Structure formats: C-alpha cells, structure tokens
Amino acid sequence: MKIGIDISMLAYKKLVDQIILISGDSDFVPAAKLARREGIDFVLDSMGNHIADDLLEHIDGLQTYYKTIENNSDTEEE
C-alpha cells in the first residue's frame, strides 16, 4: 500500500516524468492508472516473471533487464 501511495504522491505533485515499477502484481493497477492519468510514463519490469493481465492493460511499457544481466554474468571471465 505504501508504494501505491508514493506513486500517487509523485504523480499528483508532478515530481517525476517516469516511474519504473519492478513487480507484476495486480495490486498496483490503481496506482498505475492514476499515474498514467496524470501524464506519467509508467514502465513495468517484471524481472521475467508472470504479469497479471489487468496490470498489462495499464502500463506504457514493459521492459526487463533481468535476463540481460544474468546472461552477461555467465560470459564474464575473471
């Protein structure tokens, strides 16, 4: 709940242009909807996990760096 309140405050006060949420939980749908209504670019990073369908409807972008980081660490030599 605290994260949702923080998202709402940031959106209403226009303190940010973009919010990147690392989650896939549909509990964030109301916060995502509010942020987008306030003109905030709302991006989701699920770290490769399942994303609730209703949350997918209320985001501006979906991007994950989890697999990229994981694959890079496998190829590094010490």
Side-chain angles (χ1 to χ4, degrees), residues 16-62:
V16 296
D17 296 323
Q18 183 180 60
I19 293 174
I20 300 172
L21 177 67
I22 301 174
S23 179
D25 192 340
S26 63
D27 289 346
F28 291 106
V29 168
K33 287 172 68 172
L34 183 141
R36 290 182 70 211
R37 276 196 309 264
E38 293 298 313
I40 306 298
D41 184 34
F42 201 90
V43 179
L44 183 68
D45 184 341
S46 67
M47 295 186 68
N49 293 311
H50 174 76
I51 301 161
D53 290 336
D54 52 347
L55 182 58
L56 278 175
E57 293 177 27
H58 300 290
I59 61 173
D60 292 309
L62 177 61

